[in-house]
């Protein structure tokens, strides 16, 4: 778990910043919520950090420690889930971005590991409209490209929570964190039109919506590699002079 917190010193950051025209920071945002009986509450944070580490291994970015509790209100029916308000998450990300700008890092990429963090899109949109350099990653298109490259069978609609993608990434990045049961926990509920009103408990008893039995470490490795490739366009956009 030590790889969740960057080991950089201030001199590492100074050296990296001297070698680029514009500094880009990467902030993983996860959650602390139920992921069935076999994945940890910190799954979304582990996924966001795995994506962010892959990015940091390929691009000269300033990797930040994760935000580990976010907007998981749809999972409130399950023990262990903890949430903060969307207003609080909005303020935290804005404060982090402002602090970075004061230290000379004027571009921020928010790597979101939890689909319920809708407010992150508002943060990025509002910041960009004010002339600040910010992006939200990965987009649905990036996940779709990664899904196809990795041979993930489940569609993004079906693979909603604790399914093939999340199981695969943890099998690759943190296999020690999985417990038995993902092989027999498949559950599909594609029509979730009342999710915001009913929460997850309106659609699943186990907390799972997806097909985790199809997960594999190889798929997890390819998913992360594809996302790192997709990040190139974001890095170019944020570091350009346009």
């Amino acid at each position: 778990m030590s790889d969740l917190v960057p080991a950089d010193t201030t001199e590492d950051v100074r050296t990296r910043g001297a070698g680029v025209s514009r500094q880009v920071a990467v902030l993983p945002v996860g959650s602390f919520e139920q992921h069935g009986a076999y994945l940890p509450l910190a799954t979304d944070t582990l996924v966001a950090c795995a994506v962010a580490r892959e990015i940091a291994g390929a691009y000269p970015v300033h990797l930040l420690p994760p935000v580990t509790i976010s907007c998981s209100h749809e999972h409130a029916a399950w023990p262990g889930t903890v949430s903060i308000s969307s207003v609080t998450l909005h303020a935290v990300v804005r404060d982090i971005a402002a602090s970075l700008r004061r230290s000379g890092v004027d571009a921020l990429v928010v790597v979101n590991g939890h689909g319920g963090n809708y407010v992150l899109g508002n943060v990025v949109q509002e910041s960009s409209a004010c002339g600040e350099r910010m992006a939200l990653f990965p987009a649905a298109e990036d996940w779709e490209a990664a899904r196809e490259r990795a041979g993930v069978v489940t569609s993004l609609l079906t693979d909603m929570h604790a399914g093939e993608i999340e199981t695969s990434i943890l099998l690759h990045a943190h296999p020690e964190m999985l417990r038995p049961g993902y092989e027999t926990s498949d559950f599909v509920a594609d029509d979730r039109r009342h999710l915001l009103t009913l929460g997850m408990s309106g659609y699943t008893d186990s907390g799972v919506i997806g097909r985790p039995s199809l997960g594999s470490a190889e798929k997890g490795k390819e998913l992360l590699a594809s996302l790192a490739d997709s990040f190139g366009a974001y890095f170019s956009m944020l570091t350009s002079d346009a």
Side-chain angles (χ1 to χ4, degrees):
M1 296 292 287
S2 61
D3 56 2
L4 294 180
V5 180
D8 282 349
T9 67
T10 189
E11 290 305 315
D12 294 329
V13 176
R14 190 194 310 276
T15 300
R16 187 185 306 113
V20 296
S21 59
R22 178 173 281 112
Q23 294 187 66
V24 177
V26 172
L27 174 67
V29 178
S31 71
F32 199 72
E33 65 188 37
Q34 71 85 19
H35 276 77
Y38 50 88
L39 291 179
L41 294 162
T43 290
D44 290 341
T45 299
L46 294 169
V47 168
C49 287
V51 174
R53 283 198 310 274
E54 197 81 11
I55 289 169
Y59 305 89
V61 297
H62 178 30
L63 182 59
L64 300 173
V67 175
T68 58
I69 296 176
S70 59
C71 303
S72 300
H73 305 89
E74 70 273 29
H75 299 279
W78 280 271
T81 297
V82 182
S83 290
I84 57 176
S85 73
S86 60
V87 174
T88 299
L89 183 58
H90 188 294
V92 167
V93 175
R94 291 285 291 153
D95 283 357
I96 290 171
S99 178
L100 287 164
R101 287 193 299 274
R102 288 193 294 271
S103 67
V105 182
D106 63 351
L108 174 64
V109 178
V110 180
V111 175
N112 182 32
H114 171 48
N117 289 335
Y118 311 113
V119 71
L120 294 178
N122 298 109
V123 177
V124 171
Q125 197 171 46
E126 293 164 14
S127 299
S128 298
C130 294
E132 300 164 9
R133 291 178 181 257
M134 193 180 294
L136 182 61
F137 183 82
E141 293 83 356
D142 302 313
W143 277 118
E144 183 61 31
R147 188 187 72 81
E148 293 180 2
R149 172 168 162 178
V152 169
V153 176
T154 319
S155 70
L156 294 181
L157 173 64
T158 298
D159 193 58
M160 189 261 187
H161 191 70
E164 185 177 2
I165 287 176
E166 289 184 322
T167 299
S168 293
I169 291 177
L170 261 69
L171 282 170
H172 167 65
H174 290 283
E176 74 283 359
M177 300 295 289
L178 273 81
R179 300 189 185 186
Y182 72 89
E183 305 91 341
T184 57
S185 295
D186 291 4
F187 183 79
V188 175
D190 284 351
D191 186 346
R192 304 184 296 271
R193 69 188 73 188
H194 303 301
L195 178 67
L196 297 181
T197 302
L198 299 176
M200 284 285 288
S201 61
Y203 295 95
T204 172
D205 293 331
S206 67
V208 177
I209 297 180
R211 301 176 67 189
S213 68
L214 300 176
S216 73
E218 183 59 31
K219 289 178 182 178
K221 180 180 179 179
E222 288 301 313
L223 283 163
L224 294 176
S226 177
L227 291 174
D229 289 345
S230 293
F231 184 78
Y234 293 76
F235 186 76
S236 296
M237 175 179 63
L238 290 172
T239 56
S240 71
D241 293 328

